[in-house]
Amino acid sequence: MSRVVSLFLPGWPIDRLRRALGAAAPPADTRLVLVGRDGARRIVTALSRSAEEAGLRAGMPLTKAHALLPDVMAMPADPAADAAALRRLALWALQHYAPIIAPDPPDGLVIDTTGADHLHGGEERMLAGLVNRLAASGISARAAVADTWGAAFAVARFLAGPVHIVPPGAARAAVSPLPLSGLRIPAETVTGLHVLGFATIGDVLAVPRAPLVLRFGPLLGRRLDQLQGTVAEPVDPLRDPELATVRKVFGEPIGAPETIARYTTALVDDLCLMLEKRGLGARRLYLVFHRVDNSLQAIRVGTARAARDGKRLSRLLCDRIETIDPGFGIEIMELTATLAEPLVLQQAASSLIEEEVADLAGLVDVIANRIGARRLYRITPVESDVPERSVRRVAPLAPDDGATWPGRWPRPARLLARPEPIEVMALLPDHPPAFFTWRGVRRRVRRADGPERIFGEWWKRDAELAAVRDYFQVEDEAGERFWLFRSGSEAQAASGAGHWFLHGVFA
């Protein structure tokens, strides 16, 4: 089942203007309006939140806005610049999120995320990450995902706060209480429906269709069908002439997996030739299938580093063919390198003069495209005495900086995300526990080593000026080894509470 994301940018013209002006932009609390023309009249086309809270509305004549709010700041609207910036935003989303993305003017994007959400940790994490990244760039956004474009559009504008996920099959129930303007119909149609007593989308869905279509035209009926998924509404994907793209149009539709795989390999070879001429290597590939029923299916794969190896890229794409439903047949296949980087060929290592180093890039790519790149990482040391700060996650193929952990004291193979409190019987001040209870299991200590005293990093936080931990390596009667610590020092009351915690488990 397809899943569609609607991204709503409620303050898009204002946010776009602030980003364009940079340091010269007016303060965020300025009552700002953008002014356009409706015939001979000058009207408010967009306004800041502070201006809206003061009583101004879009579509209001500028003279009335000045009368209600004399100190309002008016600037000319630039719809062409807004549309161009929205297209650039769509291209950015195309490179990072999904292969089927299109602008939804004047203040939104539509994204078909079918089969791509798992690469971002699921729908909720994907939407939250998208909204947060835009917020960090000064763009306010709300996002919703549903089975249809129409349902996602309505929920994003009237229900998302800032993220909302409509479960599969629940589109009608989700949109029923929402206003009629969520149907993407002209304002005069909304007014006419209000005159007839309709207030919500559910009110319209509950009555016979024919009289409404006869009165308001076929668009209303089509929008209702698209919202419920009974009529397809494919997203026309954004295309950028600067991106390396190859396509194959078939005289007769294809559908057999082996046929799809054969043409996929041919498209990859053509794309690699195009990338070679540009001196580039692919980092992210989108293979879009245009079906005869006017719907789209897509495969997305990525690489850990820029690549132009046809066999390797073909394998990554062909491994995902099983996720494609050809329906009644595929009539067009389109392969695009949405993210490419400069790639310079290097001389292969010779066993006569140097030892050959195994290249793990192919293995990393296969695993990352199956489970998601965010879930694949390696651990690298960080210069810090505090154990939970001494490691960090990096990309699997990140260069080795040569840092190592101190070798004077061994560290556990598994470090808990947070130290867990335990009940301990121990002879103070410096003796290890005689036994401890962790997660309801009492363990008697047979061997122990320690203490290893670790102080807080006072140069980072004042609260760690007196922080002390005494770590012990202990082994229970079953041979399992643990890393325990006692917080604080008995000689200094300010150093901690003297409680015991389990922080890690040895292999």
Side-chain angles (χ1 to χ4, degrees), residues 13-14 35 50 131 143 171 214 268 270 291 298 371 385 394 399 407 417 426 444:
I14 300 292
V35 182
S50 56
V131 170
L214 185 62
V268 169
D270 293 342
R291 305 197 314 183
I371 68 173
D385 286 334
V394 297
R444 181 172 295 278

Side-chain angles (χ1 to χ4, degrees), residues 154-187:
V155 171
R157 281 149 181 79
F158 299 105
L159 202 58
V163 168
H164 192 94
I165 299 175
V166 180
R172 177 165 180 157
V175 303
S176 290
L178 302 183
L180 294 172
S181 50
L183 285 174
R184 296 177 295 159
I185 53 179

Side-chain angles (χ1 to χ4, degrees), residues 209 212-225:
R209 183 76 51 81
L212 295 178
V213 172
L214 185 62
R215 183 181 182 105
F216 297 105
L219 178 61
L220 176 59
R222 185 165 66 252
R223 291 304 192 201
L224 293 173
D225 289 334

Side-chain angles (χ1 to χ4, degrees), residues 125-151:
R125 291 189 61 181
M126 179 183 65
L127 295 187
L130 174 58
V131 170
N132 291 338
R133 291 180 73 172
L134 291 175
S137 300
I139 300 174
S140 57
R142 302 204 299 263
V145 59
D147 294 338
T148 64
W149 180 354

Side-chain angles (χ1 to χ4, degrees), residues 325-347:
D325 177 14
F328 294 106
I330 296 169
E331 57 184 0
I332 300 175
M333 291 174 57
E334 188 174 58
L335 178 63
T336 304
T338 57
L339 184 60
E341 296 177 354
L343 177 63
V344 179
L345 296 180
Q346 298 179 351
Q347 178 67 41

